[in-house]
Amino acid sequence: MHGRQQVRFTTHGRAQRAAPGTTSDWRALMPKALITGITGQDGSYLAEHLLAKGYDVVGVVRRTSHHSYERIEHLIPRVEIVAADLLDQHSLTIVIQEAQPDEIYNLAAQSFVPTSFTQPVLTGEFTALGVTRILEAVRLVCPRARFYQASSSEMFGKVQQTPQRETTPFYPRSPYGIAKLYGHWITVNYRESYGLYAVSGILFNHESPRRGMEFVTRKVTDAAARIKLGRATELRMGNLDAKRDWGFAGDYVDAMWRMLQAPTPQDYVVGTGESHSVEELVAVAFGHVGLDWRKHIVVDPKFYRPAEVDFLIADPARIKAELGWTPTLSFEQLVTMMVDADLRRLQAR
Ligand code: NAP
Ligand code: G4F
């Protein structure tokens, strides 16, 4: 990978723009990446990953009344923050034009499935049309940049084949999944229509101590820690039978990076190849702190979805064989690591 990275920088990277002998600025030789959604779970891990590889990192944030920099506070001096919004074409075009990045990672989205049922139009604006806005900006002001789109296993929805791979037909089951499918196909379309190096990673669920509190893993690990510390007694949840292929977010940002180093642009499925139910998740998390989950979990229909994705499991054979990617944490390691992190966080307060 390292060898390929060096070749890559002399052909596609900033080194190409800095004529030999004309620059004494070593930073001009560093590749530059622009990340939308840098304040999110994946954006924060990706920024760390790219900084460690020597990239200049530009992070796109939207204007809010107070900063949501919790996940990237430790990176702030090393990351350039710029303002733009997925809803605003002009702001996206300007930040891409000014940054002239070598790589663009589009991680920004309305990413919570239940919210997509209550705010379907806004989800379409952010998660679907937002992708076209960025691709239009890339096409017009920085067409040499390599573009990564954060596609999702939610696009498989009511699965048509098990396990799910790159050739599996899509059948999304939520406005979010449908918006992601639009983002996926518009990325394919810009690759085929305009010759952009534009790819989608079809990522299965990935989690970490930085996961948003509303997602099921973090909701469960936080509750297990709270109940263990005597700060809560019950956890209200939805469908315990749903099954997901859960991996560690830190591994998945490496997959994103690898996809943009490949000699030809291709889409990849990224997952562990293992599936577990929400009930297993609860059992591992509560068991880790010596609690019997049956005494604390209350199933509440309020958390059921109008249409559910029952069972997801990835076939990551292509990315393993072609890009050498592999997950590093098992399901049990991931869940117990998250419970331990929540315990530490709560005990510090
Ligand atoms: P996340 O934690 O919810 O982060 C979403 C990011 O998008 C945040 O930085 C958010 O900024 C930003 N954003 C939302 N609306 C925006 C707007 N209008 N303009 C600019 N930025 C906006 O999501 P994640 O888990 O890191 O996931 C990253 C991407 O991968 C998302 O596209 C998600 O749909 C996709 N994905 C995730 C998974 C997974 O399991 N995590 C799996 C497959 C695909 P604020 O901080 O301002 O809200
Ligand atoms: O953690 P979740 O909310 O994630 P979901 O819906 O699978 O979506 C996540 O993964 C996608 C990739 O497949 C991403 F594209 C998307 O952005 C997001 O990151 O729910 C997982 C499962 C669902 O089946 C849900 O019904 O857990 C079930 N569940 C049961 N009780 C619950 C709850 N989910 C949540 N959020 N809260 C509950 O109380």
Side-chain angles (χ1 to χ4, degrees), residues 17 32-36 58-60 80 82-86 88-106 130-148 196:
R17 300 201 305 277
K32 187 188 263 195
L34 180 140
I35 304 173
T36 72
V58 178
V60 177
E80 183 189 347
V82 296
D85 199 296
L86 287 177
D88 187 69
Q89 178 71 62
H90 185 67
S91 63
L92 295 168
T93 306
I94 294 293
V95 296
I96 291 171
Q97 185 171 37
E98 286 181 354
Q100 287 297 311
D102 302 294
E103 298 175 6
I104 297 173
Y105 296 85
N106 180 33
V131 186
T132 308
R133 293 188 186 102
I134 297 178
L135 282 167
E136 269 298 279
V138 175
R139 180 173 80 84
L140 292 171
V141 301
C142 196
R144 62 170 194 87
R146 293 185 171 203
F147 175 82
Y148 173 87
L196 296 186

Side-chain angles (χ1 to χ4, degrees), residues 203-246:
L203 270 53
F204 284 62
N205 300 50
H206 45 277
E207 319 293 317
S208 74
R210 297 183 199 166
R211 185 59 142 154
M213 286 289 183
E214 67 274 40
F215 296 92
V216 75
T217 52
R218 190 72 198 287
K219 182 171 169 179
V220 166
T221 61
D222 175 65
R226 273 178 202 281
I227 294 170
K228 177 68 183 172
L229 296 175
R231 299 188 196 178
T233 52
E234 69 166 33
L235 174 63
R236 304 185 83 81
M237 296 192 61
N239 179 12
L240 301 186
D241 296 327
K243 289 189 162 176
R244 291 289 184 275
D245 180 330
W246 278 295

Side-chain angles (χ1 to χ4, degrees), residues 36-44 60-64 66-69 71 84-88 92 106-112 122 125-127 148-154 176 180 201-207 210-212 214-215 245-247 249 252 256:
T36 72
I38 194 166
T39 56
Q41 170 189 258
D42 290 7
S44 66
V60 177
V61 301
R62 57 178 163 169
R63 198 265 159 191
T64 50
H66 84 117
H67 290 158
S68 56
Y69 294 177
R71 297 182 177 104
D85 199 296
L86 287 177
L87 296 180
D88 187 69
L92 295 168
N106 180 33
L107 309 186
Q110 191 301 95
S111 73
F112 190 47
L122 187 69
E125 286 286 353
F126 284 11
T127 305
Y148 173 87
Q149 167 58 17
S151 285
S152 165
S153 53
E154 267 285 312
Y176 169 82
K180 279 288 175 189
I202 306 174
L203 270 53
F204 284 62
N205 300 50
H206 45 277
E207 319 293 317
R210 297 183 199 166
R211 185 59 142 154
E214 67 274 40
F215 296 92
D245 180 330
W246 278 295
Y252 288 54
M256 296 173 191

